[in-house]
Amino acid sequence: MIHSLFLINCSGDIFLEKHWKSVVSQSVCDYFFEAQEKAADVENVPPVISTPHHYLISIYRDKLFFVSVIQTEVPPLFVIEFLHRVADTFQDYFGECSEAAIKDNVVIVYELLEEMLDNGFPLATESNILKELIKPPTILRSVVNSITGSSNVGDTLPTGQLSNIPWRRAGVKYTNNEAYFDVIEEIDAIIDKSGSTVFAEIQGVIDACIKLSGMPDLSLSFMNPRLLDDVSFHPCIRFKRWESERVLSFIPPDGNFRLISYRVSSQNLVAIPVYVKHNISFKENSSCGRFDITIGPKQNMGKTIEGITVTVHMPKVVLNMNLTATQGSYTFDPVTKVLTWDVGKITPQKLPSLKGLVNLQSGAPKPEENPSLNIQFKIQQLAISGLKVNRLDMYGEKYKPFKGVKYITKAGKFQVRT
Amino acid sequence: MPYLGSEDIVKELKKALCNPHIQADRPRYRNVIQRVIRHMTQGVDVSSVFMDMVKASATVDIVQKKLVYLYMCTYAPLKPDLALLAINTLCKDCSDPNPMVRGLALRSMCSLRMPGVQEYIQQPILNGLRDKASYVRRVAVLGCAKMYNLHGDSEVDGTLVNELYSLLRDQDPIVVVNCLRALEEILKHEGGVVINKPIAHHLLNRMPDLDHWGQAEVLGFLLRYQPRSEEELFAILNLLDSSLQSSSPAVVMAATKLFLVLAKEFPHVQTDVLVRVKGPLLTACSSESRELCFAALCHVRRILRSLPGHFSSHYKKFFCSYSEPHYIKLQKVEVLCELVNDENVQQVLDELRDYCTDVSADLAQAAIFAIGGIARTYTDQCVQILTELLVLRQEHITSAVVQTFRNLVWLCPQCTEAVCQALPGCEENIQDSEGKQALIWLLGVHGEIIPNAPYVLEDFVENVKAETFPAVKMELLTALLRLFLSRPAECQDMLGRLLYYCLEEEKDMAVRDRGLFYYRLLLTGIDEVKRILCSPKSDPSLGLLEDQAERPVNSWVSEFNTLVPMYSKACWAAISSSQVSEPHGPEPSGNGVLSASGSLVLENKEELQPLCDSGSFLLVPNGQLTAEQFEKTWLSLEVAHQEVLPWQGVAHPDTIQTALQVVNIQAIALSKAGVQPWKAYFSAQDGAGCLFLTELLLDPEPSQVHLSVKQSQAKAEALNSFISVLKTVIGTIVGIKS
């Protein structure tokens, strides 16, 4: 299925390659570079490129391209998903998926790729199974290893596949039995000039961290399960039970995993927690313009909005910006024309604003359109859709676990047009 | 890339590897080996330390073993003689008590990729298939496929295949999936692994145990199974129902395809399935991963072909956001254009209007063309938006708008007047060839209602010497001649100048020829010119023919969840056929000739197969058949098929001829419009050289058309395909008329 994998950085160096079925020469990547040249922006390379003998399916993650070489017809989503899984695994192992991290741990990377794919087919991709096969590097362990000479490879086989339930290994033991759930919601929205919502939607996930001994059988119920529009489940969830009773019933995998992901798309349910007042204008035939934005809370359900950052891609003719911020700090990169304003949190008494003058290239025509504002924010202890966990019950084991639920709302692709 | 001083590095490494002190100190020894691997991955040729590395593989340290195996797999093809020495160690490791070591050794041995290794790996693989650790069995099963690939074209080993089929019942789910994968590769010349009823049911029962990669692949294999009865079919669909809700998009897509294929007889089930995957697809469309998003969008476009209104209520999902890459924005614009209905048309147009001023010229033009597409149904609104865009005086915008206008005027004649009012002034902002051609065409054809048309064309004539595109010059010639017919007084002088220039100074042969042709045409008299140049100014039927009505789901389902929606089919066919003709590795010299010829036959079979089963019946343009030849052939053949189809109204020879031309059916002779009885003769040829001769006879009274087809070679399948093509086209024409 996957013949070879090349990792390429943003400046176009192939810094790692791995072949499974037969060795494919690096020159196949020339087609990729050609496509990169054609696309005005390096990142705008289409995910599927055809070459005379192969197809190249690539993904772009954290400034790296994962380019896979395909020789037979394949389901594209399968390969794309797998490549993302590879990147996720690197992230999981090294804390970041960057060129430096991969180069530092090149040996582990090869070991991982060897275990994840055999003959081009996905083999072991679950992070907890991989971690039993190949131990992740830690500073402590590398010190210990160098003293004792022990290896970073488990010398026992992963037991995960030996139990009857493929996602859980047998004989798990913890002294503190804990089950934590994080309800994370992201708001994707486009707000138009006048402040009305063009499009808004919530993408939610429930991530779980389960450290329970034995074979616990959990059931999680919600106060308002009908909110969830389109839900996809971890394979451990009993689908029939959800369909009939709207209860999540499952034997959990050990450790961290994503329990469900869902979508709330009916627009009246999506609250927009911030508003932006903006006034950006460029005068005709003059080399300056005005820039003035103010951010305020709206429908925030009484919680504090924090971690706000505003990013604006200014038009090319903008030379520099002279602004004053009432709160936080701003930077303007005159090369990429990106304005970043790190606001922090909103206090309703004094709304943060950023205003001042924009210097334009003299003689250039006034920009066609105003820039869009991309906004990031975070709200702790609130699921903006109103989703609430009702209770968590455990069957099958005697002990009493420690349970916890955390809610957090973030901005996804949150964009305000001006 | 050879690094500076790489020789020194290799020398130093070699020295370190040989040093007995280091060899005794395990961490240090492993460190040196890690350095070798690191240099290997950076492209330094460290193959000269092969011997020392082989020695290093005799250790109890698994990491060290792994690293050495990795090294061996990389350099074995370069040093086959030395690699044979390593095989001994590997064989020994294959019977190690630790299953992990056994698996590792077996996997490395199968990946050595050097000639002659087969004879050594056969026994360990067979042992591995019966190993008690599932980890080893997984490796061994895939090892079978690798061994087969090394053999190249040898006979398929029947006992091994049987063994693999029986391992489909293995306890370990990954062994099961690996068996399918291995069998698929080994039996690829025989059409892959066979899924019969017991296997299919077994796989269905194991589905819940598999990881989602396995699920996705098993769903793909199940496509080959054809349920015997309706009950069985619905039982299968019920069993797989939860796959449609999986968290993995790959599983969802594979399940969707399986459902669509299995339910090909039940269109309402297919529609149901598409309604159910709407949610997951929309989620994928707004996924964090832009590649997933792109793939999902491509599939949404496929689905829209059959169910045009399917995503209309979710049109806002397809609004572009600023940070998305271009390829996604372009797909979204295309999707938006197809989602338009009475309720959302205003919002969609407002949104598209915003994109028209985007920084990226490509996106701006795509948005303008999309508005042009919508304009076929909502003409007035769109023409107004397009007209407003002209005020911006941007080159790429004006050019795209004028091109859209040209197509619109041709397809929706009612907007001609509005377009003509908008045109003056455009000429200043168009620089590219396509835009200029469109503008000149519009001025030529509708010049009589654009007051300043001759003067704009005059500017073009003045600057014709500086014009770089021959196509523009040709368009200019035609347009000016046309305008000359309606406004002779204003055009005569410059037409003369243009013709003079084309005949005397022009270097491009095509332009000069066109000029000469018009010159001679003018000499024959004005009536003749009119007869030739005054073709219809618009043809709304063409637009209807072009965007075909809803296509049945079954027409694209075989391409669902493949690369085809993201790329054209022809492209892929070219790749896979060149694949087949590639030699498979080194040939064993003994029975080379025999086996090679054997595989040739198989290859042919494989090449033919997709032609037949995918139903890709293709007519090729021949056009060389003269009327006499046609008559002779017609008389010599028997009628192969006769049919009566409904018909309405009079026949327009032009429409019919154009429509059939699109599918490569050539007209030989047609009666004039309105003649009773109306008759027409057509010929066509398929890829295999089979001729199809057709007679259409129009019966005005019950308003029917009699269809008789003759065939030069008796091939029932081709005949059926041909008739279905023919009927589709005739059906479309009748549809337009009614």
Side-chain angles (χ1 to χ4, degrees):
Chain A
M1 185 170 276
I2 294 174
H3 237 78
S4 306
L5 178 72
F6 295 94
L7 298 192
I8 301 175
N9 65 13
C10 260
S11 45
D13 302 321
I14 305 171
F15 65 92
L16 191 124
E17 56 183 291
K18 170 102 182 99
H19 306 278
W20 281 276
K21 292 191 84 169
S22 57
V23 179
V24 178
S25 147
Q26 276 198 359
S27 60
V28 77
C29 290
D30 291 350
Y31 294 99
F32 178 79
F33 296 132
E34 210 173 279
Q36 241 179 359
E37 240 164 71
K38 248 186 247 162
D41 202 346
V42 200
E43 299 161 26
N44 275 344
V45 195
V48 182
I49 299 166
S50 75
T51 77
H53 295 283
H54 311 273
Y55 268 90
L56 303 180
I57 298 187
S58 61
I59 63 159
Y60 176 71
R61 274 281 292 262
D62 303 312
K63 305 217 159 61
L64 296 179
F65 291 97
F66 291 68
V67 181
S68 62
V69 181
I70 309 289
Q71 249 177 350
T72 44
E73 182 64 65
V74 291
L77 282 113
F78 187 98
V79 179
I80 290 172
E81 208 190 333
F82 179 79
L83 293 177
H84 274 293
R85 179 61 67 87
V86 172
D88 287 341
T89 310
F90 290 167
Q91 175 107 36
D92 192 23
Y93 263 73
F94 314 130
E96 51 166 1
C97 177
S98 66
E99 188 184 352
I102 291 174
K103 275 186 172 166
D104 285 347
N105 298 293
V106 74
V107 176
I108 295 187
V109 167
Y110 269 97
E111 285 179 48
L112 280 174
L113 289 176
E114 186 82 356
E115 288 296 340
M116 291 182 83
L117 273 185
D118 188 10
N119 205 24
F121 297 111
L123 211 56
T125 55
E126 284 291 332
S127 122
N128 42 11
I129 292 171
L130 276 174
K131 281 196 178 149
E132 281 181 67
L133 284 169
I134 302 155
K135 298 230 172 77
T138 58
I139 298 167
L140 181 69
R141 186 169 300 119
S142 61
V143 173
V144 172
N145 281 357
S146 61
I147 296 166
T148 62
S150 69
S151 63
N152 64 338
V153 166
D155 24 19
T156 50
L157 258 184
T159 45
Q161 281 103 19
L162 300 178
S163 73
N164 288 329
I165 295 154
W167 54 83
R168 189 176 177 88
R169 62 195 166 101
V172 185
K173 268 223 167 81
Y174 288 101
T175 42
N176 295 327
N177 288 296
E178 304 162 317
Y180 296 112
F181 295 90
D182 286 341
V183 180
I184 304 167
E185 298 197 334
E186 289 195 357
I187 308 177
D188 290 351
I190 301 177
I191 313 288
D192 76 359
K193 283 189 190 71
S194 57
S196 55
T197 311
V198 178
F199 156 78
E201 188 179 74
I202 297 171
Q203 311 266 3
V205 294
I206 299 184
D207 283 343
C209 172
I210 308 272
K211 293 180 174 168
L212 297 175
S213 315
M215 275 288 163
D217 194 335
L218 302 178
S219 61
L220 183 75
S221 61
F222 299 100
M223 307 275 253
N224 37 12
R226 310 244 160 232
L227 269 181
L228 308 179
D229 250 353
D230 165 37
V231 195
S232 57
F233 300 109
H234 190 274
C236 69
I237 291 173
R238 300 185 180 100
F239 184 57
K240 290 267 157 13
R241 189 87 196 275
W242 169 258
E243 279 206 316
S244 57
E245 299 167 49
R246 299 273 148 182
V247 166
L248 296 176
S249 151
F250 55 97
I251 294 176
D254 187 34
N256 293 314
F257 65 101
R258 176 154 296 174
L259 187 63
I260 63 169
S261 53
Y262 59 91
R263 213 157 53 86
V264 178
S265 64
S266 62
Q267 249 180 43
N268 37 12
L269 281 176
V270 182
I272 303 294
V274 292
Y275 72 86
V276 181
K277 272 201 294 198
H278 50 80
N279 183 6
I280 302 173
S281 58
F282 305 105
K283 268 182 236 137
E284 194 76 65
N285 302 326
S286 121
S287 61
C288 70
R290 273 166 46 95
F291 185 94
D292 180 355
I293 53 178
T294 309
I295 301 182
K298 176 187 168 191
Q299 293 182 292
N300 58 344
M301 326 247 172
K303 306 273 184 198
T304 327
I305 303 167
E306 45 185 40
I308 304 175
T309 11
V310 180
T311 340
V312 191
H313 285 258
M314 298 301 288
K316 287 219 170 63
V317 291
V318 173
L319 281 184
N320 215 337
M321 302 181 78
N322 272 319
L323 307 171
T324 38
T326 58
Q327 184 185 335
S329 60
Y330 81 93
T331 52
F332 177 72
D333 183 345
V335 182
T336 54
K337 315 282 183 203
V338 176
L339 168 74
T340 319
W341 178 26
D342 194 348
V343 187
K345 67 177 169 200
I346 301 183
T347 39
Q349 292 75 29
K350 192 168 175 291
L351 297 180
S353 69
L354 178 72
K355 56 179 106 182
L357 291 179
V358 183
N359 295 327
L360 302 180
Q361 209 171 316
S362 57
K366 132 187 152 92
E368 269 317 312
E369 56 170 7
N370 279 338
S372 305
L373 318 173
N374 288 312
I375 300 180
Q376 290 296 321
F377 55 80
K378 236 193 248 175
I379 309 171
Q380 302 282 2
Q381 289 312 326
L382 173 73
I384 197 86
S385 65
L387 186 75
K388 273 220 155 61
V389 172
N390 185 18
R391 55 182 296 143
L392 176 75
D393 297 309
M394 188 181 74
Y395 307 96
E397 295 289 334
K398 294 262 171 352
Y399 56 86
K400 259 196 130 26
F402 188 80
K403 303 176 275 195
V405 183
K406 242 174 38 181
Y407 300 91
I408 187 165
T409 298
K410 289 194 266 191
K413 296 175 197 152
F414 196 96
Q415 180 190 344
V416 179
R417 295 179 178 167
T418 61
Chain B
M1 55 194 139
Y3 273 64
L4 262 168
S6 66
E7 277 175 36
D8 295 338
I9 294 173
V10 176
K11 229 180 253 168
E12 191 202 317
L13 286 173
K14 200 177 170 80
K15 222 164 102 192
L17 281 172
C18 296
N19 188 337
H21 292 296
I22 293 182
Q23 281 180 1
D25 186 357
R26 261 172 57 187
R28 269 178 80 195
Y29 197 28
R30 193 166 73 214
N31 235 326
V32 177
I33 291 168
Q34 283 201 355
R35 266 171 57 210
V36 174
I37 303 284
R38 211 175 278 264
H39 286 301
M40 180 182 93
T41 59
Q42 283 167 357
V44 180
D45 182 12
V46 285
S47 63
S48 53
V49 296
F50 199 94
M51 256 337 277
D52 306 290
M53 290 295 273
V54 171
K55 275 185 209 146
S57 71
T59 165
V60 288
D61 181 356
I62 296 196
V63 185
Q64 187 169 332
K65 259 196 208 305
K66 245 187 197 177
L67 298 179
V68 175
Y69 290 161
L70 183 68
Y71 174 89
M72 282 185 199
C73 290
T74 315
Y75 285 113
L78 296 179
K79 305 238 164 187
D81 41 342
L82 289 177
L84 282 178
L85 295 174
I87 283 183
N88 203 10
T89 330
L90 285 168
C91 278
K92 213 160 69 201
D93 283 347
C94 280
S95 44
D96 194 277
N98 185 343
M100 191 125 152
V101 176
R102 292 203 296 273
L104 258 179
L106 192 55
R107 185 158 70 210
S108 310
M109 207 144 84
C110 297
S111 318
L112 278 179
R113 284 196 284 267
M114 55 174 205
V117 76
Q118 305 90 299
E119 48 183 309
Y120 300 100
I121 59 176
Q122 196 156 11
Q123 198 50 45
I125 286 182
L126 289 178
N127 293 341
L129 287 177
R130 292 182 205 105
D131 201 288
K132 61 181 187 300
S134 58
Y135 185 79
V136 184
R137 289 201 301 275
R138 291 174 192 173
V139 172
V141 167
L142 282 184
C144 296
K146 290 182 193 164
M147 181 166 70
Y148 174 76
N149 282 339
L150 280 175
H151 271 283
D153 39 14
S154 68
E155 296 274 309
V156 176
D157 181 355
T159 48
L160 187 68
V161 169
N162 284 340
E163 178 113 27
L164 286 176
Y165 268 117
S166 67
L167 271 176
L168 282 176
R169 308 254 166 212
D170 196 278
Q171 278 187 342
D172 184 75
I174 297 187
V175 173
V176 176
V177 182
N178 277 359
C179 273
L180 288 173
R181 291 162 171 164
L183 280 169
E184 179 69 11
E185 240 169 71
I186 294 172
L187 299 173
K188 67 178 171 221
H189 291 314
E190 295 165 20
V193 53
V194 178
I195 307 286
N196 57 18
K197 189 169 172 176
I199 294 181
H201 285 218
H202 170 69
L203 289 176
L204 284 167
N205 290 330
R206 296 300 301 270
M207 273 299 270
D209 305 340
L210 303 175
D211 58 352
H212 60 253
W213 313 113
Q215 287 185 353
E217 274 183 74
V218 168
L219 286 169
F221 283 116
L222 283 174
L223 286 172
R224 302 199 185 146
Y225 179 62
Q226 186 63 50
R228 306 282 157 73
S229 67
E230 214 169 287
E231 272 162 55
E232 190 189 354
L233 183 137
F234 284 105
I236 293 178
L237 295 191
N238 278 332
L239 211 56
L240 292 177
D241 203 55
S242 61
S243 302
L244 286 176
Q245 289 266 334
S246 168
S247 62
S248 149
V251 177
V252 175
M253 293 302 261
T256 311
K257 180 170 184 178
L258 182 65
F259 273 58
L260 292 179
V261 169
L262 285 182
K264 58 173 174 278
E265 314 274 316
F266 307 95
H268 63 279
V269 178
Q270 288 183 325
T271 319
D272 271 1
V273 170
L274 290 177
V275 170
R276 292 208 30 208
V277 295
K278 199 154 111 178
L281 262 180
L282 285 173
T283 312
C285 283
S286 51
S287 148
E288 227 174 291
S289 145
R290 27 154 99 194
E291 296 82 15
L292 270 185
C293 183
F294 175 73
L297 283 170
C298 291
H299 282 94
V300 165
R301 284 183 64 192
R302 275 290 142 129
I303 294 176
L304 282 175
R305 279 194 194 173
S306 306
L307 304 170
H310 197 52
F311 292 93
S312 286
S313 49
H314 299 273
Y315 65 97
K316 287 193 173 170
K317 285 290 254 180
F318 302 99
F319 285 2
C320 303
S321 86
Y322 181 79
S323 46
E324 281 166 337
H326 280 143
Y327 53 87
I328 289 185
K329 287 186 183 166
L330 293 179
Q331 290 291 334
K332 282 192 170 173
V333 167
E334 296 275 325
V335 171
L336 272 178
C337 161
E338 291 180 48
L339 289 181
V340 171
N341 60 21
D342 288 347
E343 282 150 35
N344 61 21
V345 63
Q346 201 49 50
Q347 285 91 321
V348 170
L349 283 177
D350 285 347
E351 185 70 19
L352 284 174
R353 215 214 87 90
D354 276 354
Y355 306 154
C356 293
T357 50
D358 194 274
V359 194
S360 148
D362 281 343
L363 179 63
Q365 292 199 330
I368 293 170
F369 292 133
I371 295 180
I374 297 173
R376 290 184 196 174
T377 11
Y378 300 96
T379 315
D380 295 340
Q381 284 155 295
C382 296
V383 171
Q384 199 194 339
I385 291 179
L386 292 172
T387 314
E388 282 163 12
L389 286 174
L390 288 176
V391 182
L392 295 173
R393 301 181 166 274
Q394 294 273 323
E395 268 172 32
H396 63 273
I397 295 179
T398 312
S399 164
V401 170
V402 171
Q403 288 172 52
T404 314
F405 277 161
R406 172 187 55 187
N407 298 347
L408 262 186
V409 164
W410 184 251
L411 297 172
C412 315
Q414 70 270 23
C415 67
T416 311
E417 207 164 313
V419 166
C420 291
Q421 278 170 5
L423 277 183
C426 290
E427 69 279 0
E428 293 161 23
N429 298 308
I430 296 185
Q431 294 301 325
D432 63 324
S433 159
E434 282 295 318
K436 278 186 188 169
Q437 287 178 50
L439 178 66
I440 293 172
W441 185 89
L442 279 166
L443 291 172
V445 173
H446 297 286
E448 73 271 15
I449 46 174
I450 306 171
N452 70 341
Y455 307 99
V456 178
L457 285 183
E458 186 160 21
D459 281 342
F460 279 109
V461 174
E462 294 290 316
N463 299 324
V464 73
K465 271 185 203 162
E467 181 58 61
T468 43
F469 309 108
V472 174
K473 293 182 192 169
M474 302 237 266
E475 200 64 60
L476 185 61
L477 265 170
T478 314
L480 197 53
L481 198 58
R482 273 194 184 137
L483 195 60
F484 169 69
L485 294 178
S486 53
R487 301 167 77 164
E490 290 157 296
C491 298
Q492 188 176 11
D493 180 50
M494 54 173 155
L495 179 62
R497 271 184 286 152
L498 183 62
L499 281 176
Y500 180 83
Y501 164 79
C502 288
L503 301 188
E504 297 294 328
E505 294 179 40
E506 179 56 45
K507 298 248 166 43
D508 189 280
M509 275 334 246
V511 178
R512 198 164 166 261
D513 265 4
R514 179 74 65 95
L516 260 177
F517 168 71
Y518 285 146
Y519 178 69
R520 287 178 189 145
L521 191 62
L522 283 167
L523 290 182
T524 59
I526 203 75
D527 291 332
E528 194 64 15
V529 180
K530 273 189 183 150
R531 199 177 65 81
I532 288 185
L533 274 182
C534 289
S535 48
K537 291 186 177 179
S538 66
D539 186 1
S541 62
L542 204 67
L544 293 172
L545 205 68
E546 202 178 78
D547 47 51
Q548 282 175 350
E550 300 161 29
R551 294 176 50 182
V553 175
N554 289 333
S555 67
W556 48 259
V557 69
S558 61
E559 297 165 1
F560 195 78
N561 199 23
T562 63
L563 291 168
V564 179
M566 302 158 96
Y567 256 98
S568 64
K569 180 133 190 162
C571 207
W572 181 255
I575 287 186
S576 42
S577 67
S578 64
Q579 210 58 48
V580 170
S581 55
E582 253 178 14
H584 308 271
E587 277 181 3
S589 52
N591 54 356
V593 180
L594 193 111
S595 56
S597 68
S599 79
L600 253 184
V601 174
L602 287 171
E603 277 166 20
N604 281 340
K605 203 160 81 188
E606 197 183 55
E607 266 176 306
L608 280 177
Q609 225 167 17
L611 269 183
C612 308
D613 66 14
S614 65
S616 59
F617 171 77
L618 256 182
L619 290 173
V620 293
N622 60 346
Q624 297 309 319
L625 206 66
T626 62
E628 289 79 38
Q629 283 168 331
F630 180 86
E631 203 177 339
K632 216 188 262 171
T633 330
W634 179 259
L635 291 174
S636 70
L637 289 173
E638 292 289 311
V639 174
H641 182 87
Q642 248 178 337
E643 198 167 337
V644 181
L645 299 170
W647 187 263
Q648 276 164 341
V650 217
H652 290 289
D654 291 342
T655 324
I656 296 174
Q657 193 174 354
T658 334
L660 288 170
Q661 197 100 52
V662 175
V663 291
N664 283 329
I665 300 179
Q666 254 75 25
I668 302 293
L670 301 101
S671 319
K672 282 217 178 92
V675 175
Q676 300 290 349
W678 188 85
K679 264 187 178 185
Y681 290 93
F682 299 95
S683 85
Q685 192 173 19
D686 74 357
C690 179
L691 272 179
F692 298 94
L693 310 182
T694 314
E695 179 193 53
L696 294 183
L697 180 65
L698 204 64
D699 199 344
E701 252 333 290
S703 204
Q704 284 172 333
V705 58
H706 294 267
L707 178 76
S708 6
V709 179
K710 297 186 180 185
Q711 196 184 13
S712 67
Q713 299 160 20
K715 283 195 287 191
E717 221 172 272
L719 182 68
N720 285 337
S721 320
F722 174 75
I723 287 167
S724 74
V725 170
L726 197 61
K727 272 159 76 176
T728 322
V729 178
I730 291 176
T732 322
I733 300 171
V734 174
I736 293 166
K737 287 177 186 299
S738 61

